[in-house]
Amino acid sequence: MDYADGQEVLLGDAVNLGGGSVGRVVAVLDTGRYSERYPEEDWSYLKDGALVEAPAFGLVHCTGSDHDFTLLRRNEIN
């Protein structure tokens, strides 16, 4: 999964969801990277995209075709 500018979406990225909302990438299903809070055994059934945790929305599953979030900064998490 990539951002619109071609950069790869990475676990832990801080993202802008629009409208002043921010979130953190907590799983990248395409590459099999999952944070400790969102383990593979619980979320791999979704197959592709990314999970973004945001205070304003909770947990959001974004797929390559429907996401419009942008990278704010890189920040690896476990």
Side-chain angles (χ1 to χ4, degrees):
M1 176 171 216
D2 295 329
Y3 295 103
D5 66 3
Q7 292 186 78
E8 183 180 5
V9 174
L10 299 177
L11 186 66
D13 284 354
V15 295
N16 178 348
L17 297 166
S21 296
V22 297
R24 177 140 343 257
V25 176
V26 295
V28 185
L29 307 164
D30 297 350
T31 59
R33 305 247 358 244
Y34 298 83
S35 65
E36 290 178 4
R37 262 183 85 187
Y38 298 94
E40 182 174 9
E41 57 268 14
D42 292 343
W43 297 98
S44 63
Y45 72 93
L46 294 173
K47 306 266 186 245
D48 63 0
L51 297 177
V52 177
E53 186 176 49
F57 305 113
L59 188 64
V60 180
H61 176 221
C62 303
T63 62
S65 61
D66 72 359
H67 83 83
D68 60 356
F69 56 86
T70 56
L71 177 65
L72 292 173
R73 70 184 167 280
R74 300 280 191 196
N75 187 20
E76 281 288 317
I77 61 171
N78 292 322

